[in-house]
Amino acid sequence: MPKGSGLSDLLNVLPAAFQVPDFGQLVAPALDHKPRILMLYGSLRERSYSRFLTLEAARLLEAFGAEVRIFHANGLPLPNDAPDTHPKVQELREAMLWSEGQVWTSPERHGAMSAVLKSQIDWIPLPGGAIRPTQGRTLAVMQVSGGSQSFNAVNQMRILGRWMRMVTIPNQSSVAKAFQEFDEDGRMKPSSYYDRVVDVCEELVKFTLINRGVAGYLTSRYSERKEAAAKLGERVGLKSI
């Protein structure tokens, strides 16, 4: 144990920005609306297994008590190939802000997530390089593969979720040989893969219920509070000149 019991022994810490975690701040306020889940998927194909998996998960999420929105990327321009005022960009950004949790589902293309999925994330603004519209929201990741089971896409999406400062749940789904797992109507057949999707949806709703209302406190960071305090000090100093 360190000898110092307070900030007097932490010479590099700015006291004004230092906060001892408070359990009281982690008790979520009562919210009367359903958990809001936004779903993105990474394919534009007419018979898209990532869309089928998204729709199947949406049914489960609604059964678990969530309100669901699915963003369809048809018509979304490539990042920076259109102004931010493009209707599809505005639709995506509004849905991001509306959401309390998200599900990202991608096919695995060349050992990676699809460009369609990544382009949706790349349209999300990063104002000041710090606070993101995704920050503090929960995230579940799923993928479909044409061949044997792989985890390349979900692993990449986990890294992306961390970069976007999201709370990514432990569980995930990877559906191998997806063409065998859905019927002609696009409904998922009974299997261990389906059971895992149920697990993912149940876990996402639980984590979202715990997280919503306190996400801002959970993602409040000392370094950012210190930076904000420094900027405030500069403004106050300029006003006194």
Side-chain angles (χ1 to χ4, degrees):
M1 294 291 290
K3 294 181 179 180
S5 59
L7 295 184
S8 60
D9 194 48
L10 301 174
L11 302 181
N12 296 326
V13 166
L14 178 67
F18 189 87
Q19 295 180 359
V20 177
D22 177 10
F23 180 76
Q25 297 291 324
L26 295 171
V27 179
L31 299 175
D32 57 5
H33 63 268
K34 297 180 178 181
R36 297 167 176 166
I37 306 298
L38 171 64
M39 310 190 75
L40 310 179
Y41 64 95
S43 173
L44 303 178
R45 295 174 57 190
E46 182 176 349
R47 185 168 175 81
S48 164
Y49 297 110
S50 60
R51 186 176 74 252
F52 291 161
L53 184 57
T54 295
L55 292 171
E56 203 68 52
R59 298 181 186 99
L60 288 164
L61 288 166
E62 289 175 344
F64 280 124
E67 180 181 357
V68 176
R69 288 189 190 180
I70 301 174
F71 179 77
H72 302 282
N74 306 74
L76 180 71
L78 289 173
N80 302 321
D81 196 35
D84 293 352
T85 54
H86 189 285
K88 289 296 291 188
V89 176
Q90 290 299 307
E91 177 189 349
L92 175 59
R93 291 184 176 182
E94 190 279 329
M96 282 278 177
L97 293 173
W98 167 86
S99 70
E100 295 169 319
Q102 297 182 19
V103 180
W104 298 350
T105 304
S106 177
E108 182 171 318
R109 294 273 180 87
H110 300 151
M113 76 179 84
S114 73
V116 174
L117 192 284
K118 183 60 163 58
S119 66
Q120 293 173 70
I121 306 303
D122 286 346
W123 266 116
I124 304 308
L126 305 178
I131 304 302
R132 295 151 170 79
T134 50
Q135 181 161 321
R137 287 158 173 77
T138 53
L139 172 66
V141 294
M142 303 192 296
Q143 76 168 72
V144 293
S145 302
S148 57
Q149 191 172 43
S150 169
F151 301 95
N152 291 323
V154 288
N155 287 341
Q156 282 194 332
M157 287 187 285
R158 281 189 176 277
I159 293 173
L160 184 56
R162 181 197 61 78
W163 180 256
M164 302 304 287
R165 298 185 179 179
M166 304 181 77
V167 181
T168 308
I169 68 170
N171 220 328
Q172 63 186 26
S173 170
S174 175
V175 180
K177 297 182 179 178
F179 60 91
Q180 296 180 348
E181 300 302 322
F182 296 87
D183 62 23
E184 288 300 314
D185 296 324
R187 296 303 305 268
M188 196 170 185
K189 301 174 184 177
S191 69
S192 60
Y193 292 134
Y194 178 82
D195 293 345
R196 176 59 67 88
V197 176
V198 179
D199 290 347
V200 169
C201 294
E202 179 182 7
E203 190 170 289
L204 177 64
V205 172
K206 289 177 179 178
F207 272 76
T208 304
L209 287 170
I210 293 173
N211 184 69
R212 67 180 190 158
V214 298
Y217 181 71
L218 282 171
T219 56
S220 174
R221 300 181 176 186
Y222 165 77
S223 60
E224 292 170 359
R225 294 193 300 270
K226 180 181 177 182
E227 182 180 355
K231 290 181 179 178
L232 176 61
E234 290 178 6
R235 290 198 299 271
V236 171
L238 288 173
K239 289 180 180 179
S240 65
I241 294 176

